[in-house]
Amino acid sequence: MGTMPAQPPTDAARPRILSGMQPTSDSLHLGNYLGALVNWVGLQEDFDAYYFVADLHALTVPTDPEVLRRRTRVTAAQFIAGGVDPERSAVFCQSHVTAHAELGWVMNCLTAFGEASRMTQFKDKTAKGQNANVGLFTYPMLMAADILMYDAAYVPVGEDQRQHLEITRDLAERFNTRFGPTLAVPEPYILKESAKIMELTDPTSKMSGTNSPDKGLLLLSDEPNRLRKKIMSAVTDTETEIRYDPETKAGVSNLLVIHSVLTGTPVTDLEAQFAGRGYGDLKKAVAEVVLEAVGPFRSRMAELLDDPAELDRILARGAERAAVVAAATMTRVRDAVGLLPAAR
Ligand code: TYM
């Protein structure tokens, strides 16, 4: 062996957590931020955290290589600008820890064809007539590998990832039943309030970097004026009352949730605070709190992207730390399933 692997500067007894985001747009949006990133930042205090850019998953969407490279760096920079501390948490690219793809294969071989066919993401995309590749079909098994590689106790994600976590738990249990106790069964960490931020132009659809129109998306890289404009023209309803009711008042409810999560004010307090006031007032207040949260973020992101070599060094250090854990898991997995130990 060459140099000693980097050791995580964290207490080894701390449980591990892991999560990832795909670099499939030019910027993360407020849904990624509130649904996941905010929790990543909070959890890194108490857990040994692994946060990665899911660049292998992004290959399921055909993308220009130069664009993919740029988006991968932007996504990593946004993790850090949003508060992930790369000294404390491992920040890395999925493709740099090649064991993810290996364990993904093992997971494929544990998954029934029918089981994979029932995954909603695959069903939805193929139902829309999208020309799906096999990578999209096996996407959940690679995601299971990402998680099980690190014996993650919790996986902080938004609501849309729940089914993926369920199949991950099933696969871990199946592996352990068939081959003996080897993999930790993870728990989802999905916070009810922020788990599904809706798009501003159609508040019945989730905010999505790949499906929402630009006007419906609050991008973390948007100029303050742009963010304000998008919020001021958010679709609401024909009533006047500011009340949380996602069934009949999806737009107003979404704005209340955004405000509530960013300021830590319970929605019922906000309802009281805005009683008798108009939607314009609510939107102005939401714009204020969004700008306050995203303002410092933009300058930090620009700084990080100005120095891609330093960003790449951070990613390399993160991958080195992750690879130490991944190698140990792969040794256990190889042994359990009957693959000969890899030569050193
Ligand atoms: P991705 O890249 O689609 O989304 C990244 C994270 O943002 C959350 N999210 C939302 N939360 C609330 N409201 C929204 N409108 C919203 N939109 C997105 C997602 O739930 C997610 O937490 N398959 C994953 C990436 C992945 C992964 C993993 C995650 C690959 N391997 C292992 C966890 C563990 C994905 O496509 O997320």
Side-chain angles (χ1 to χ4, degrees):
M1 285 251 294
T3 52
M4 286 288 290
Q7 287 303 320
T10 44
D11 177 0
R14 294 203 304 177
R16 285 196 207 108
I17 55 163
L18 160 131
S19 197
M21 299 205 193
Q22 290 196 79
T24 37
S25 347
D26 288 330
S27 169
L28 298 181
H29 55 74
L30 200 71
N32 301 132
Y33 182 67
L34 297 181
L37 194 52
V38 167
N39 298 327
W40 294 15
V41 173
L43 289 166
Q44 68 182 343
E45 304 292 328
D46 297 319
F47 291 88
D48 186 18
Y50 293 76
Y51 297 134
F52 67 95
V53 182
D55 53 354
L56 293 176
H57 277 115
L59 290 179
T60 59
V61 182
T63 309
D64 176 76
E66 205 45 61
V67 173
L68 179 59
R69 264 189 285 275
R70 187 183 73 230
R71 289 176 171 175
T72 299
R73 288 204 181 93
V74 167
T75 306
Q78 293 192 329
F79 291 175
I80 298 168
V84 170
D85 174 4
E87 296 296 323
R88 185 186 289 248
S89 307
V91 177
F92 62 101
C93 288
Q94 184 186 31
S95 67
H96 291 174
V97 183
T98 54
H100 286 235
E102 274 178 78
L103 187 57
W105 177 256
V106 176
M107 293 298 139
N108 284 342
C109 297
L110 277 181
T111 309
F113 192 83
E115 188 179 24
S117 315
R118 284 191 294 276
M119 297 299 290
T120 47
Q121 178 178 277
F122 181 75
K123 279 203 307 197
D124 289 354
K125 293 208 172 166
T126 44
K128 276 190 215 146
Q130 279 184 22
N131 207 349
N133 51 51
V134 177
L136 192 67
F137 187 64
T138 62
Y139 183 115
M141 286 66 89
L142 178 59
M143 179 157 162
D146 298 336
I147 297 168
L148 301 176
M149 188 73 83
Y150 299 90
D151 292 323
Y154 296 102
V155 185
V157 287
E159 181 61 40
D160 58 354
Q161 299 300 314
R162 191 181 288 280
Q163 197 188 30
H164 288 146
L165 294 187
E166 277 162 14
I167 196 172
T168 301
R169 288 170 55 86
D170 288 348
L171 288 170
E173 280 163 2
R174 191 172 307 161
F175 189 106
N176 292 342
T177 305
R178 199 168 296 175
F179 301 113
T182 312
L183 301 171
V185 182
E187 294 289 335
Y189 184 96
I190 302 174
L191 293 188
K192 212 167 128 249
E193 321 80 65
S194 55
K196 198 170 182 190
I197 302 297
M198 309 309 263
E199 114 187 10
L200 299 180
T201 38
D202 170 11
T204 60
S205 300
K206 113 184 144 167
M207 190 178 281
S208 151
T210 43
N211 293 330
S212 302
D214 181 61
K215 277 173 71 182
L217 263 176
L218 297 172
L219 295 177
L220 299 183
S221 63
D222 274 342
E223 302 267 340
N225 269 340
R226 225 176 143 60
L227 286 172
R228 192 177 284 115
K229 252 195 212 136
K230 288 179 181 178
I231 295 168
M232 293 311 292
S233 45
V235 167
T236 48
D237 53 61
T238 51
E239 298 178 5
T240 52
E241 198 190 352
I242 296 177
R243 177 166 50 85
Y244 179 77
D245 179 354
E247 293 296 315
T248 61
K249 298 174 75 70
V252 168
S253 302
N254 192 38
L255 292 172
L256 284 170
V257 167
I258 293 173
H259 192 306
S260 165
V261 180
L262 282 173
T263 58
T265 318
V267 165
T268 42
D269 290 11
L270 289 175
E271 285 175 331
Q273 207 174 307
F274 284 98
R277 293 165 66 187
Y279 290 170
D281 278 3
L282 174 64
K283 289 177 176 178
K284 265 190 217 143
V286 170
E288 287 302 310
V289 298
V290 169
L291 290 184
E292 211 169 293
V294 175
F297 181 100
R298 289 183 70 237
S299 52
R300 179 86 183 99
M301 185 182 88
E303 257 171 47
L304 286 155
L305 290 172
D306 258 0
D307 190 354
E310 174 55 17
L311 190 58
D312 290 354
R313 274 193 293 277
I314 291 175
L315 291 172
R317 276 204 305 273
E320 224 182 312
R321 269 175 65 182
V324 175
V325 182
T329 306
M330 288 313 294
T331 300
R332 284 185 350 247
V333 166
R334 282 198 191 93
D335 184 50
V337 303
L339 297 171
L340 291 179
R344 283 178 177 260

